[in-house]
Amino acid sequence: MRESLVRKSDMPEATPIIAVTEASLESTLSELGDSAGQWCSLNAFTGKPASSLLIPGAEGHGAVVLFGVEDGGLPHPFALGALVKSLPKGDYALAEGFPDPDQAALGFGLSSYRFERYLKPSGKVSRLGVGTDVDLDRIGIILDGVQLARDLINTPANDLGPEELAAAVADLFQKHGGSGHIVVGEDLLTQDFPMVHAVGRASSRAPRLADFTWGRDTDPKVTLVGKGVVFDTGGLNLKPGNSMSLMKKDMGGAANVLGLASMIMAAGLPVRLRVIVPCVENAVAGSAFRPGDVLASRKGLSVEIGNTDAEGRLILGDALALADEETPDLMIDMATLTGAARVALGPDLPPFYTNDEGLADDIAVVAEAAADPLWRLPLWQPYMKYLDSKVADINHINTSGTGFAGSITAALFLSRFVENTESWVHFDIYGWAPADKPGKTAGGDAQGIRCLFDVISERYAASQ
C-alpha cells in the first residue's frame, strides 16, 4: 500500500490525473485538443463527480485521465481509490491544483491493498505520483498500520493461532524497540488470568496473553487492549455453519489494536504505549467451559456463563482488569464483540462507548474529519440489571432483558472491570468489509484506528 505512492519527480513519464467539474470540463478539453473532446463525447463523459475517463494521447498531447470532482473538492474523501481498479496498471500522477491531495493519495493507497499470501503474484501495481505538498511520511505510517490490521484479519486460523498472534505482538514491539512478555497455558492460572484460560483451554493450541510496552515511563500512559479470538466456534453453544464462516476475523480487535500501535510507534508519539492482547481459540472439547459455569476473574468478580458464544468479553475482562491496575491516562479496547452492533449500525459504522465526555467529543469530530466513521452509544446504567445473576456477582450476557441491547450490555459488562481509569473507551467493531468500495477492499478491515491515531496525536502533541 505504501509503495503505491511516490513523488511525481521520481516518475516523470506518469500519466497525469486532471480534476474537472461538469462546469470546467469544456475549458479543460479545449486545452487538450479536439480529439480529447471527441473521445469524451464518444464515451458520454460529462465530468460527473467520481466518474473518470482515460484519454489516449493525440495531436502532440500525452494520455491523461480526467476525474470528476465537485466544486468544493472530492465527491468522497477516498473517491480517487476507484481508479485503482478502473484504470490499466501503470504510473499516474495528480496534476497541479488537484483538490484535497492528501485525502486523494490516502484513498488511492488504501484502495491498493491486496491480500495475496496464498495467490500467485498479480504483477505490476498502479502507482500514484504526488507533489511535495502531500505528507507522504504520515500517510505511509497510516497505510502500514492499516495493512497490518487487514493482513492479520485475512490470515486464516490454520496459520494464525494464539501462538502466532502473540508472536505478531512481540514482533511489532521488537521492531520499534519495545519489550514485554507472553503468559502461556497453565501460567495464565498462576498469574491470575482465569477467564482467558477458561475460554482457551479446550483448544489444542494453548491460550496466552501478550503484554508489551514501548516509550518512556515519564510520558502519558496509553494502553490498548484487543480481543484476540483467532477462531470462534461458539464453544458448546456451537455456531451454525453460516455464522462460523467468517470467524477467522474474531481477532479483529487485536489486529486493529496492533495497526494503531504500529502508527503510534512509527510516528514516535510522546506516549508510553502498552498493548495487551489475550489470544485464544474458542474450541469444542471435553475441557470446554460450559453454560452455567461460574468463573473467577482477575478483578475478583465471579462470572456466571450464560452462553459460551459470548467469550470475547470474558477474555477482555481479565485483560482490562490488568490494564486498569496501573491507571493509564487513556485506555482503549477494541473487539469484534456483538452482532447486535451490526444490527443497529451496520458493518461500516462501529459504535463506541465512554463516560469521558471530552474524549467522546474528540472522537466524534476527528472521526468525521478522518472519514473513519464511528457512532457513540450510551453506557446506559439501567440496563446493568440485565446482567444480574442469582449464583454469581454478574452474568456475562443479558439474561433478563429478553435479549435487547446486546451491544450496550456487553459494554456494561466490560465497564465492571474498569475501576481506576477515568478515560476509557470501548469499540465494538466489525473488522470486515463485505464489498469493495473506495478506500476499502473486501475482507479484513481497519476501523476506527485512523481516527484514534489522529486523536492521540492531537491529545499528546503538547507534551512533545
Side-chain angles (χ1 to χ4, degrees), residues 113 115 146-147 149-155 246 248-249 252 256 430-434 440-447:
Y113 174 80
F115 183 67
V146 169
Q147 178 160 342
R150 289 174 172 177
D151 281 349
L152 287 170
I153 297 171
N154 284 325
T155 301
L246 278 182
K248 70 176 184 179
K249 78 170 185 67
N256 273 271
Y430 188 47
W432 193 262
K440 294 180 181 287
T441 57
D445 196 16
Q447 293 185 300

Side-chain angles (χ1 to χ4, degrees), residues 106-441:
L106 181 58
F108 192 92
L110 290 171
S111 301
S112 297
Y113 174 80
R114 294 292 179 271
F115 183 67
E116 297 183 330
R117 176 171 175 173
Y118 303 99
L119 299 172
K120 294 180 179 179
S122 60
K124 186 179 180 181
V125 299
S126 294
R127 298 189 301 169
L128 180 70
V130 297
T132 55
D133 56 333
V134 172
D135 190 348
L136 272 188
D137 289 338
R138 186 172 180 83
I139 291 175
I141 287 170
I142 292 170
L143 292 178
D144 287 345
V146 169
Q147 178 160 342
L148 175 60
R150 289 174 172 177
D151 281 349
L152 287 170
I153 297 171
N154 284 325
T155 301
N158 61 310
D159 283 331
L160 188 73
E163 180 179 5
E164 289 79 14
L165 180 57
V169 183
D171 290 346
L172 178 63
F173 275 78
Q174 289 167 6
K175 173 183 176 182
H176 292 282
S179 61
H181 64 279
I182 300 171
V183 184
V184 181
E186 297 303 305
D187 288 344
L188 290 166
L189 294 176
T190 61
Q191 296 192 36
D192 202 16
F193 302 105
M195 293 198 295
V196 178
H197 180 271
V199 171
R201 70 191 182 202
S203 174
S204 60
R205 301 185 289 184
R208 55 203 69 210
L209 182 138
D211 183 1
F212 282 77
T213 59
W214 168 90
R216 298 175 299 188
D217 289 338
T218 54
D219 283 334
K221 292 180 172 59
V222 174
T223 299
L224 312 179
V225 180
K227 173 186 170 184
V229 179
V230 299
F231 194 84
D232 181 19
T233 65
L236 293 180
N237 289 114
L238 193 69
K239 293 178 182 288
N242 60 347
S243 297
M244 206 186 300
S245 59
L246 278 182
M247 283 300 100
K248 70 176 184 179
K249 78 170 185 67
D250 212 21
M251 38 62 65
N256 273 271
V257 157
L258 290 181
L260 176 56
S262 171
M263 297 178 194
I264 291 170
M265 291 188 286
L269 297 187
V271 299
R272 200 276 271 167
L273 177 67
R274 185 182 189 185
V275 168
I276 301 172
V277 177
C279 309
V280 303
E281 180 176 25
N282 189 19
V284 180
S287 58
F289 74 118
R290 296 163 288 264
D293 282 357
V294 175
L295 303 182
S297 71
R298 185 180 184 87
K299 187 68 177 175
L301 295 171
S302 58
V303 180
E304 182 184 8
I305 301 304
N307 188 307
T308 63
D309 195 18
E311 81 299 328
R313 66 198 70 180
L314 297 172
I315 65 173
L316 284 175
D318 276 351
L320 287 171
L322 171 65
D324 189 56
E325 289 166 8
E326 69 166 5
T327 315
D329 297 276
L330 174 62
M331 181 159 64
I332 299 166
D333 82 74
M334 307 189 82
T336 52
L337 205 60
T338 70
R342 256 45 67 196
V343 171
L345 298 176
D348 297 337
L349 185 60
F352 70 94
Y353 299 84
T354 183
N355 282 328
D356 184 332
E357 297 300 326
L359 177 61
D361 289 345
D362 289 345
I363 291 172
V365 170
V366 175
E368 183 173 358
D372 198 4
L374 298 163
W375 196 264
R376 187 185 185 188
L377 290 182
L379 286 163
W380 185 247
Q381 291 302 312
Y383 289 162
M384 189 71 82
K385 67 179 181 293
Y386 291 161
L387 300 173
D388 287 348
S389 168
K390 294 180 179 180
V391 298
D393 293 324
I394 191 171
N395 198 301
H396 81 307
I397 66 167
N398 178 351
T399 58
S400 60
T402 63
F404 293 138
S407 182
I408 293 175
T409 51
L412 287 170
F413 175 83
L414 295 180
S415 74
R416 293 291 298 272
F417 297 86
V418 181
E419 180 180 8
N420 304 310
T421 306
E422 294 185 5
S423 193
W424 164 65
V425 58
H426 159 63
F427 291 83
D428 190 344
I429 66 172
Y430 188 47
W432 193 262
D436 286 341
K437 62 176 63 176
K440 294 180 181 287
T441 57

